[in-house]
Amino acid sequence: EPAVLPLIDIDWRGRVFASTQRGLGFSFLRSNAGFRVGASITYDQGRDSNDDPILLGLADIDPSFEAGLFFDNYSGPWRISGNVRKGLQSDGHNGIIGSLLVSYGGKLNQNANMILGVSATGGDSSYNSSYFSVSGSSAGLAAFPAQAGLRDVGGQINFIYLFSERIYATIDAKINLYMGDPGKSPVVQEDLPFFVGTVLGVRF
């Protein structure tokens, strides 16, 4: 459903960042070749059983901070990045989730850039069970135990237009395909969820 959200992304010399998308983090290993490794704190919003009728009767998943490690590697137009995160609150998912993204980008003209990417995300048994398992007494859905494994694979495209050195706009589209146990879970009603959004930004 449509939503308007603020986007804040502060990065100090590629070492420390504070972002509404990336969380809080710092790089403790960097190279001049475009490789860095770091640690971060992110935030998982959890899930409320009132969010959707299909979730009624399922247990709520409280919001949780996550501690994680990440890496980024830039090589010409290519970027490979990944992360592993662990839920810290016992009433949250309290599991481990990891993602890998491979993207390729370049200039279309002096003002426009495009980036194409593919991704994969997976979780351990605690994470997948929290979000995709169903007990026999939940909302009339068939009981289903979700085990560790791949959660989804996805594709994305980002178009960035520079109005000036400081002002820019983006159009972002992403589609995911649920895989493994999450793809078989009765909680998942749409195998190919997609997202389309736009950002109007100002660099300082």
Side-chain angles (χ1 to χ4, degrees):
E1 63 185 47
V4 178
L5 300 171
L7 172 63
I8 299 172
D9 196 295
I10 302 169
D11 195 294
W12 184 71
R13 297 183 178 181
R15 292 186 179 276
V16 180
F17 61 82
S19 170
T20 52
Q21 292 183 314
R22 297 183 291 159
L24 303 175
F26 69 95
S27 302
F28 52 75
L29 176 64
R30 299 176 68 214
S31 75
N32 293 330
F35 179 76
R36 67 174 181 170
V37 178
S40 65
I41 295 291
T42 52
Y43 185 73
D44 181 86
Q45 295 183 350
R47 186 185 69 194
D48 193 306
S49 60
N50 293 319
D51 289 343
D52 190 284
I54 196 68
L55 301 176
L56 292 176
L58 297 179
D60 291 340
I61 303 171
D62 289 345
S64 176
F65 287 102
E66 301 168 323
L69 297 172
F70 69 88
F71 78 89
D72 289 302
N73 185 52
Y74 294 87
S75 179
W78 290 95
R79 177 187 179 186
I80 302 176
S81 60
N83 64 76
V84 177
R85 313 184 306 273
K86 171 70 170 65
L88 300 179
Q89 269 102 314
S90 59
D91 293 331
H93 67 71
N94 199 32
I96 298 174
I97 180 172
S99 298
L100 180 68
L101 170 68
V102 178
S103 56
Y104 179 91
K107 285 183 174 292
L108 299 178
N109 56 46
Q110 184 176 353
N111 298 97
N113 298 268
M114 182 175 290
I115 302 171
L116 304 174
V118 293
S119 64
T121 300
D124 69 356
S125 57
S126 179
Y127 177 88
N128 282 350
S129 179
S130 294
Y131 277 99
F132 302 104
S133 287
V134 178
S135 65
S137 60
S138 299
L141 300 175
F144 181 83
Q147 303 299 319
L150 193 62
R151 187 191 73 178
D152 64 67
V153 295
Q156 63 187 57
I157 181 170
N158 310 99
F159 176 79
I160 305 101
Y161 189 84
L162 306 176
F163 295 102
S164 68
E165 291 184 359
R166 291 188 173 184
I167 301 174
Y168 67 95
T170 74
I171 298 175
D172 310 294
K174 183 176 183 180
I175 189 168
N176 293 82
L177 174 64
Y178 281 107
M179 306 287 288
D181 280 357
K184 301 172 186 176
S185 171
V187 172
V188 175
Q189 300 296 297
E190 185 177 357
D191 291 335
L192 285 168
F194 66 91
F195 165 85
V196 177
T198 184
V199 172
L200 179 62
V202 179
R203 293 190 178 99
F204 296 96

